[in-house]
């Protein structure tokens, strides 16, 4: 009977209450902190991608920039961005003239680079329009998340390499010379 009274005393005791609260609440607070940090980093990187695209489109629209190859355009965009160590290899750029007869816009998702195989998508174009030709420029960048577990929490789509994709697009008409 002594062991029953000892067990009852242990059950009714309040030793260790703070530990139980810590064990229950600490993972929730850390998840909230890591998710908000990851979201802040993702937003900052997305803004940098949009800014790099806008700066280069402005130069192309004004006639200051006429890149001969997609690699030249990617290099100029990556020079405008920071926090992207492998930007030139992970960035996919699609530049195409929009036909004014049909105004047929590309459908579906912006094609992104496959980092597992190390190849760009097949359906990317690089055709700069002349004066008065509407041109659509789309960019897709695959980046590694800052913390590996937060994309699962935020339901971010991941590619086969574990990277998260972000994209930006804009259209312009080159000003006449």
């Amino acid at each position: 009977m002594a062991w029953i009274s000892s067990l009852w005393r242990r059950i009714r005791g309040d030793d260790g209450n703070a530990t139980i609260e810590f064990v229950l609440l600490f993972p929730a607070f850390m998840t909230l902190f890591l998710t908000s940090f990851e979201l802040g980093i993702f937003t900052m990187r997305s803004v940098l991608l949009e800014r790099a695209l806008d700066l280069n489109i402005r130069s192309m629209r004004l006639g200051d920039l006429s890149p001969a190859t997609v690699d030249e355009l990617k290099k100029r965009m990556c020079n405008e961005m920071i926090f992207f160590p492998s930007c030139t290899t992970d960035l996919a750029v699609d530049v195409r003239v929009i036909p004014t007869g049909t105004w047929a816009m590309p459908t579906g998702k912006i094609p992104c680079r496959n980092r597992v195989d190390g190849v760009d998508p097949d359906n990317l174009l690089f055709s700069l329009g002349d004066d008065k030709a509407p041109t659509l420029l789309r960019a897709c960048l695959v980046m590694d998340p800052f913390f590996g577990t937060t994309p699962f929490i935020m339901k971010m789509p991941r590619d086969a390499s574990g990277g998260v994709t972000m994209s930006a697009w804009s259209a312009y008409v080159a000003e006449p010379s």
Side-chain angles (χ1 to χ4, degrees):
M1 281 306 211
W3 65 274
I4 293 177
S5 64
S6 172
L7 178 65
W8 185 250
R9 216 175 319 115
R10 186 172 293 271
I11 289 173
R12 293 186 57 213
D14 58 1
D15 297 342
N17 279 346
T19 305
I20 292 172
E21 291 171 359
F22 177 79
V23 167
L24 292 176
L25 294 177
F26 181 74
F29 282 119
M30 284 307 294
T31 301
L32 181 65
F33 172 74
L34 294 177
T35 303
S36 61
F37 184 80
E38 183 76 50
L39 190 58
I41 294 290
F42 183 81
T43 303
M44 180 187 65
R45 288 177 171 174
S46 181
V47 166
L48 288 173
L49 177 64
E50 290 275 350
R51 179 183 178 274
L53 184 74
D54 288 342
L55 288 175
N56 283 285
I57 281 189
R58 183 176 187 272
S59 296
M60 292 167 72
R61 182 179 40 113
L62 295 176
D64 297 338
L65 169 67
S66 182
T69 64
V70 70
D71 291 330
E72 183 181 338
L73 180 61
K74 284 165 62 169
K75 184 178 176 187
R76 286 186 55 96
M77 286 182 66
C78 290
N79 286 340
E80 300 291 337
M81 294 186 280
I82 55 174
F83 302 120
F84 294 101
S86 58
C87 175
T88 54
T89 57
D90 293 341
L91 181 66
V93 178
D94 180 42
V95 182
R96 60 181 71 209
V97 175
I98 301 169
T100 55
T102 61
W103 293 97
M105 298 292 281
T107 58
K109 296 170 108 177
I110 298 174
C112 293
R113 180 173 172 79
N114 184 346
R115 293 194 310 176
V116 173
D117 298 333
V119 295
D120 284 331
D122 294 334
N123 55 350
L124 291 179
L125 293 178
F126 186 74
S127 62
L128 294 175
D130 55 353
D131 291 348
K132 299 180 185 173
T135 306
L136 177 68
L137 195 144
R138 303 184 303 167
C140 179
L141 184 64
V142 181
M143 65 163 201
D144 291 321
F146 206 78
F147 300 110
T149 57
T150 50
F152 294 116
I153 297 167
M154 296 186 336
K155 304 282 190 235
M156 298 175 82
R158 298 180 83 159
D159 66 354
S161 69
V164 177
T165 60
M166 69 175 120
S167 58
W169 63 272
S170 187
Y172 72 97
V173 176
E175 294 186 6
S177 313

